[in-house]
Amino acid sequence: MEKYLDLRNKKEYKGIEEAGQKIKAGGLVLFPTETVYGLGANGLNSEAVEKIYSAKGRKSDNPLILHISNLEMLSKIAQGITKVEQKLIQAFFPGPFTIILKRTDIVPDVVTAGLETVGIRMPSGEIARRLIEEAGVPIAAPSANISGKPSGTNVQDIYEELKDKVDIIIDGGETEVGLESTVVQVIDEIPHILRPGKITAEQIKEVVGNVEIDKHILNKTEKDQKILSPGMKYRHYAPNSKCLLVYSKEKDKLVNKIKEIANTYDNPLIISKSDNIENFSEFKTIDMGNTLEDISKNIFTVLRKVDKEKPSIVIIEGVSRDGIGLAIMNRLIRACEYNYIEV
Ligand code: TXA
Ligand code: MG
């Protein structure tokens, strides 16, 4: 790293111009968006984009999202936009929403992993928006984390794993949402949610009248199964310790089941809602917050804390799938490598 830019609590955004130039020139910049931190490079420069894959240790068949700051950029990288797609763009840009569109020829193959489509997002975070504006090109950026680890929602969590791999780090404090964007692809005029996020199925349905939730969101992909979003087949967000996700609609049942399982282990760790934590006072616990919004913000940092405790098992309290709850459960089920029980 050449430079650390501290923009926490700052309003004048000094230094973003230099970071934008760095991107344009082919460098790597770690920067905040409203969802999670991104590891950004010039999205039209293959060599620069290659650096992202090697920094993350990311498989080359997993495509990247291009981040734009205005609709003029969109028209250069996407074509044949349909009415339904147009409506979604109008409703959810800028924001925590990625749409998969037919790409143009200027989008390098490394960005899309050879696909004819490209994921495009216009972040609403002010630092991200200004950075793209200064770079003057779409920024290719995956979540900032080594592949397989939880995404970074603050610089502290990812500093050690990425500091030697990037040119500039922009610190914007904690990200607002805490979970990555909703990824949507429109197929035969129906929007399919490939990855759930803050923009929910209900919101999408309100705009275009219908929506499909891809079944891989909460289910394992079988070997050789064709899936729309390559990222969904990889081990993700998972601590090294064995994890189990437990959910019940009834609070008493949930608490009792977690206790029952915890009692069969020597050194269990329980991740629970603040409201339930006193029920687990005889065990080691981590508090994940109470509301779905708080849990979204905290969950990746919480998952990063797990291994430090060296538990024999991590039992995680599941949440309802309402609203952003579906996105939380999607990340937790993956963190637990599909070890999930509902009682
Ligand atoms: O909130 C976010 O989306 C963050 C911030 C930095 O913008 N970015 C992010 O990127 O989460 P990444 O690379 O970690 O996840 C992108 C997901 C992957 O699951 C990938 O497979 C999928 O989007 N994706 C990207 N391009 C695609 C395409 N053309 N077709 C299908 N899926 C695509
Ligand atoms: Mg990621």
Side-chain angles (χ1 to χ4, degrees):
M1 178 188 47
E2 291 164 13
K3 190 152 202 166
Y4 168 81
L5 250 182
D6 185 1
L7 296 184
R8 288 172 299 171
N9 316 314
K10 292 220 177 89
K11 284 278 170 278
E12 75 261 37
Y13 303 105
K14 238 174 136 191
I16 291 198
E17 193 187 327
E18 186 187 341
Q21 291 308 313
K22 188 49 109 184
I23 294 246
K24 198 174 179 187
L28 279 190
V29 175
L30 194 149
F31 68 101
T33 80
E34 76 277 23
T35 56
V36 298
Y37 275 79
L39 188 58
N42 181 340
L44 301 181
N45 175 335
S46 305
E47 267 171 50
V49 174
E50 294 279 3
K51 290 185 198 165
I52 295 177
Y53 284 89
S54 40
K56 274 189 71 118
R58 181 174 174 117
K59 296 254 168 50
S60 59
D61 69 347
N62 193 4
L64 302 173
I65 295 169
L66 287 183
H67 296 71
I68 60 171
S69 56
N70 57 59
L71 292 177
E72 203 181 306
M73 278 185 182
L74 177 70
S75 63
K76 290 191 179 136
I77 54 180
Q79 56 184 324
I81 298 175
T82 65
K83 272 207 181 108
V84 174
E85 289 164 344
Q86 191 61 49
K87 275 189 187 169
L88 293 169
I89 289 165
Q90 229 159 39
F92 302 120
F93 274 17
F97 181 82
T98 297
I99 188 162
I100 310 293
L101 297 171
K102 190 164 188 281
R103 68 155 162 165
T104 61
D105 289 342
I106 68 162
V107 178
D109 279 342
V110 268
V111 170
T112 68
L115 297 175
E116 283 311 306
T117 54
V118 59
I120 300 174
R121 175 161 114 79
M122 187 190 286
S124 62
E126 190 61 14
I127 294 175
R129 200 187 61 75
R130 285 175 189 246
L131 181 67
I132 304 162
E133 231 15 55
E134 292 293 349
V137 290
I139 296 182
S143 52
N145 54 276
I146 297 292
S147 277
K149 289 221 179 199
S151 304
T153 52
N154 61 72
V155 169
Q156 240 170 312
D157 281 356
I158 45 179
Y159 187 78
E160 280 308 318
E161 69 196 57
L162 293 173
K163 70 176 192 315
D164 298 328
K165 304 189 168 168
V166 300
D167 298 301
I168 298 179
I169 291 179
I170 306 178
D171 191 343
E174 291 279 339
T175 59
E176 190 188 313
V177 178
L179 294 177
E180 308 88 341
S181 61
T182 306
V183 176
V184 168
Q185 182 165 13
V186 177
I187 302 163
D188 298 332
E189 300 191 4
I190 299 170
H192 286 64
I193 298 183
L194 307 186
R195 180 178 71 184
K198 184 170 186 219
I199 302 295
T200 61
E202 296 80 33
Q203 283 175 283
I204 292 167
K205 196 169 175 188
E206 234 166 74
V207 173
V208 292
N210 49 26
V211 67
E212 288 272 340
I213 298 174
D214 194 285
K215 63 179 189 300
H216 297 115
I217 280 175
L218 297 174
N219 298 298
K220 204 169 181 164
T221 46
E222 298 306 325
K223 250 204 160 119
D224 302 327
Q225 203 173 354
K226 192 171 167 9
I227 49 170
L228 290 169
S229 184
M232 302 224 284
K233 67 177 183 248
Y234 291 116
R235 181 174 189 268
H236 213 330
Y237 315 116
N240 293 323
S241 316
K242 175 180 162 193
C243 297
L244 171 68
L245 183 61
V246 183
Y247 179 66
S248 173
K249 287 193 178 77
E250 292 167 56
K251 182 173 155 164
D252 288 350
K253 262 193 180 173
L254 179 61
V255 166
N256 290 335
K257 190 68 187 177
I258 291 177
K259 276 180 154 175
E260 182 193 316
I261 298 166
N263 273 319
T264 65
Y265 285 86
D266 265 345
N267 180 31
L269 171 69
I270 298 171
I271 297 177
S272 118
K273 280 191 186 167
S274 321
D275 275 354
N276 293 339
I277 218 147
E278 61 183 22
N279 295 297
F280 306 123
S281 53
E282 71 258 51
F283 303 107
K284 259 189 212 160
T285 52
I286 302 181
D287 185 342
M288 65 182 183
N290 249 338
T291 63
L292 294 178
E293 280 66 33
D294 284 344
I295 297 168
S296 302
K297 274 189 194 178
N298 297 337
I299 200 65
F300 287 145
T301 295
V302 165
L303 287 173
R304 281 173 176 274
K305 281 187 190 148
V306 160
D307 288 326
K308 289 182 195 127
E309 303 284 340
K310 300 212 182 327
S312 54
I313 188 166
V314 186
I315 307 171
I316 307 177
E317 185 181 325
V319 301
S320 92
R321 290 166 200 175
D322 298 332
I324 200 169
L326 181 66
I328 296 170
M329 286 301 271
N330 164 265
R331 307 315 191 266
L332 287 178
I333 278 181
R334 267 139 220 275
C336 293
E337 300 184 83
Y338 304 92
N339 285 316
Y340 171 65
I341 51 173
E342 186 163 341
V343 289

